[in-house]
Amino acid sequence: MLRITELSLPLYHPDEALPAAICKRLRIAPRDLVRHVVARRGHDARDKANILLVYSVDVNVKDEAAVLARFRKDVNVQRTPDPRYHLVAKAPPGGEAKRPVVIGAGPCGLFAGLILAQMGFRPIILDRGKVVRERTKDTWGLWRRGVLNPESNAQFGEGGAGTFSDGKLYSRIKDPCNRDRKVLTEFVKAGAPPEILTEAHPHIGTFRLVTMVESMRKSIEELGGEYRFSNRVDGIDITTDAQGDRRVRGVHLSTGEYLEADHVVLAIGHSARDTFAMLHAAGVHVEAKPFSIGVRIEHPQSWIDKARFGVNAGHPILGAAEYHISHHCSNDRTVYSFCMCPGGTVVAATSEEGRVATNGMSQYSRNERNANSGLVVAIDPARDFPGDPLAGIALQRHWESMAYVAGGSNYKAPAQRLGDFLAGRPSEVLGSVVNSYKPGVHMTDLAQCLPDYAVTAMREALPVFGRQIPGYDHPDVLMTGVETRTSSPIRFTRGDDLQSLNTAGLFPAGEGAGYAGGILSAAVDGIKIAEAVAQSLSAASARSGRDSAHAG
């Protein structure tokens, strides 16, 4: 089978145009095309008047060797790659006395647990939050009634922060081992729409994610894995030998239980600030890393559709339009869009009392009134919070606390019309753009909730973005604060063996450890970590077997 990439056709092409384009591209007669299957489809909307669909297609032809020889120097005509993922190890018979422990049931922990279970290692998966349906009720409790459960919310619980998001499943990673394809395939098995395997920018949406993580939990449990919810890790047991080498021996749980473990996957997510502090106090190597701070910005989705697609706005193949924008400012700050959610809502994402943090969410249909995106400013440890590796957490907490007060100290979020923000005056009422944030907004001045350098940079960038996307800087556009949790403010640095630099047996993973950004990359990192854990367990089992043989 051959794969053709970068095959472009007009948006409104008839079905028969694709096989005809394949034959033209390969310079073969229609009778020589045996079969074709769409491997991927995206669109090119740079010219709104002539939007193109861009295909990657797998084809069977009668004389494959002749076609390959004809296009041997053409990178867009190649053999179809093998998309299968292969497990790297298999648990030895009899199982391990100390099972691997995975801390966190978000995308990273979920896939670390799934792969370990598929290899027969029977992982124990711990999460401080609740099962996904109970967690959903708690999350809606904040959104509808302003009541926060610090252990069960948009950040903590089964499915992780990605459960209450747009469910985007694309990233820039190109994994030669097909881990990314493995993630998508497992999601489809768990109930995701099959289209995620072929769409260039796939997404799932919150409601589907809920049922999918339930299905995947069932698969892990059927393979011998074990979940323990409402089990926060409050301490880590580390021993140090005569040479000064440190090794994990177990974890202390909030239930009072001690769990022995020589292999611990740290997949805790970017908001587990108390766990970050506990690990730092225990001497686990940690360093500060860059992240960003800003607001959520809302536009009517119809404005974005028209700006991006022109007269083709509303076409069912195109769906709700997205955007990605960036501007480097005169104060040497970069302002950019983050986690853009077409046809979605702005949601309360705090996990700590007395603080306000925002995020964006969409359902699979993406048919809500507004588009929303993070409008954020990049910040750097050396420049903005030097010294203590946990200083970025203190910075996040400070501005989240300021946003809580500015919003009325009741979990409503501070908000401002864009025109007022540019003019430097507080907003008193909403304009034509309707707020989607629950439990509601309080109109005010967002400058009191953000660093001065961020305010200055955003005021410079907004008119620039307005020239790129007509209507982007309309005076009635709504800005809601604050967006602080774009990524983890720390990194638990790991070595080539994917273990902590100074603590053997501890495997930092995913977004909270500073190694991913989004559902797909976090899940792929979880698979990588599961492979490293499995190889370490297999090596330990082999050493134990040799020792037993020598003793006999």
Side-chain angles (χ1 to χ4, degrees):
M1 182 172 278
L2 305 178
R3 174 163 294 176
I4 307 171
T5 56
E6 300 297 325
L7 189 63
S8 298
L9 289 171
L11 175 61
Y12 289 93
H13 71 77
D15 291 344
E16 60 269 19
L18 182 57
I22 293 170
C23 293
K24 181 179 180 181
R25 179 70 175 82
L26 297 180
R27 302 200 295 272
I28 59 174
R31 63 178 178 274
D32 293 328
L33 176 62
V34 178
R35 186 173 73 99
H36 71 278
V37 178
V38 174
R40 177 144 299 193
R41 185 186 69 187
H43 62 262
D44 180 352
R46 288 174 293 182
D47 181 354
K48 294 193 290 286
N50 183 33
I51 295 177
L52 301 175
L53 296 182
V54 184
Y55 291 90
S56 294
V57 189
D58 291 330
V59 302
N60 288 114
V61 297
K62 288 186 177 179
D63 194 345
E64 183 176 293
V67 172
L68 275 175
R70 187 184 310 139
F71 293 95
R72 62 185 180 278
K73 295 183 179 180
D74 191 331
V75 296
N76 291 318
V77 180
Q78 300 287 326
R79 290 194 185 276
T80 299
D82 183 354
R84 293 172 295 178
Y85 169 80
H86 300 280
L87 298 172
V88 301
K90 185 177 181 180
E96 286 289 323
K98 295 181 184 178
R99 297 157 66 183
V101 169
V102 178
I103 306 174
C108 180
L110 176 63
F111 273 88
L114 178 66
I115 299 302
L116 285 168
Q118 289 178 345
M119 291 188 286
F121 287 102
R122 303 182 304 114
I124 299 172
I125 302 173
L126 308 172
D127 198 281
R128 67 192 299 166
K130 300 179 183 179
V131 295
V132 68
R133 291 196 183 268
E134 292 181 23
R135 174 200 179 196
T136 300
K137 294 177 184 177
D138 292 334
T139 302
W140 279 99
L142 174 61
W143 295 352
R144 289 174 172 164
R145 303 188 308 276
V147 177
L148 172 68
N149 182 337
E151 297 296 326
S152 180
N153 45 61
Q155 304 295 344
F156 301 144
E158 185 177 20
T163 304
F164 300 100
S165 71
D166 188 50
K168 297 178 185 67
L169 295 176
Y170 52 89
S171 74
R172 294 184 178 89
I173 58 175
K174 300 293 183 182
D175 190 278
C177 297
N178 297 316
R179 298 182 187 96
D180 50 345
R181 184 72 176 187
K182 172 69 169 175
V183 172
L184 298 180
T185 301
E186 290 292 344
F187 276 157
V188 171
K189 285 170 57 178
E195 292 80 17
I196 69 171
L197 296 174
T198 56
E199 290 300 313
H201 287 172
H203 73 283
I204 299 176
T206 291
F207 288 165
R208 289 177 183 247
L209 279 164
V210 168
T211 58
M212 286 162 50
V213 297
E214 288 179 319
S215 175
M216 295 179 73
R217 184 207 324 150
K218 181 179 178 182
S219 296
I220 290 170
E221 290 173 337
E222 288 174 346
L223 291 167
E226 177 185 348
Y227 275 83
R228 299 189 189 184
F229 293 102
S230 299
N231 274 254
R232 186 182 63 245
V233 174
D234 284 346
I236 187 165
D237 184 18
I238 299 171
T239 60
T240 305
D241 64 18
Q243 288 73 43
D245 294 330
R246 295 158 46 92
R247 171 165 284 281
V248 168
R249 294 301 181 190
V251 294
H252 297 274
L253 306 180
S254 56
T255 59
E257 183 182 359
Y258 174 73
L259 190 61
E260 289 189 55
D262 291 334
H263 294 76
V264 176
V265 176
L266 188 66
I268 54 178
H270 62 38
S271 293
R273 295 163 171 172
D274 49 359
T275 308
F276 295 164
M278 177 273 290
L279 291 164
H280 178 49
V284 177
H285 183 84
V286 59
E287 58 191 30
K289 63 172 280 294
F291 61 102
S292 300
I293 188 168
V295 298
R296 279 272 146 185
I297 187 166
E298 290 192 82
H299 302 79
Q301 182 63 50
S302 59
W303 293 8
I304 305 300
D305 290 345
K306 184 177 180 180
R308 284 305 195 207
F309 299 146
V311 297
N312 295 298
H315 191 287
I317 288 180
L318 298 176
E322 303 178 50
Y323 62 80
H324 305 277
I325 47 180
S326 178
H327 174 66
H328 190 73
C329 300
S330 56
N331 68 351
D332 201 29
R333 301 284 179 172
T334 298
V335 182
Y336 65 100
S337 59
F338 169 79
C339 186
M340 194 268 165
C341 296
T345 56
V346 181
V347 300
T350 189
S351 54
E352 296 181 332
E353 293 177 340
R355 297 190 171 96
V356 163
T358 62
N359 194 13
M361 183 181 83
S362 298
Q363 301 301 343
Y364 181 70
S365 61
R366 289 179 165 177
N367 64 358
E368 298 290 340
R369 181 198 306 256
N370 288 352
N372 75 80
S373 173
L375 179 72
V376 296
V377 180
I379 57 180
D380 182 75
R383 182 178 186 180
D384 299 310
F385 49 99
D388 185 348
L390 303 186
I393 297 172
L395 186 149
Q396 289 176 325
R397 282 174 164 162
H398 170 76
W399 294 113
E400 290 172 11
S401 296
M402 295 295 287
Y404 180 76
V405 173
S409 300
N410 54 9
Y411 296 109
K412 288 187 177 180
Q416 190 173 16
R417 294 167 62 241
L418 186 148
D420 292 333
F421 177 79
L422 290 179
R425 60 176 177 257
S427 289
E428 296 180 357
V429 295
L430 288 167
S432 59
V433 179
V434 178
N435 155 60
S436 68
Y437 180 90
K438 304 300 180 194
V441 298
H442 175 70
M443 303 304 290
T444 184
D445 181 2
L446 285 173
Q448 62 188 311
C449 313
L450 294 165
D452 289 343
Y453 56 77
V455 173
T456 299
M458 291 162 64
R459 284 175 174 159
E460 177 182 324
L462 283 165
V464 175
F465 296 155
R467 292 191 289 272
Q468 296 173 2
I469 303 175
Y472 191 91
D473 61 343
H474 187 285
D476 281 354
V477 165
L478 187 64
M479 301 165 64
T480 305
V482 291
E483 172 88 51
T484 53
R485 307 196 189 187
T486 54
S487 66
S488 180
I490 57 91
R491 174 174 289 116
F492 289 101
T493 317
R494 61 197 189 195
D496 293 340
D497 59 1
L498 303 190
Q499 299 182 51
S500 163
L501 279 184
N502 71 341
T503 308
L506 182 66
F507 294 79
E511 196 158 346
Y515 287 96
I519 293 173
L520 183 59
S521 62
V524 167
D525 200 57
I527 296 176
K528 286 182 182 178
I529 290 294
E531 294 168 351
V533 170
Q535 289 166 341
S536 178
L537 284 165
S538 298
S541 178
R543 287 194 299 271
S544 176
R546 289 194 298 270
D547 292 343
S548 297
H550 291 321

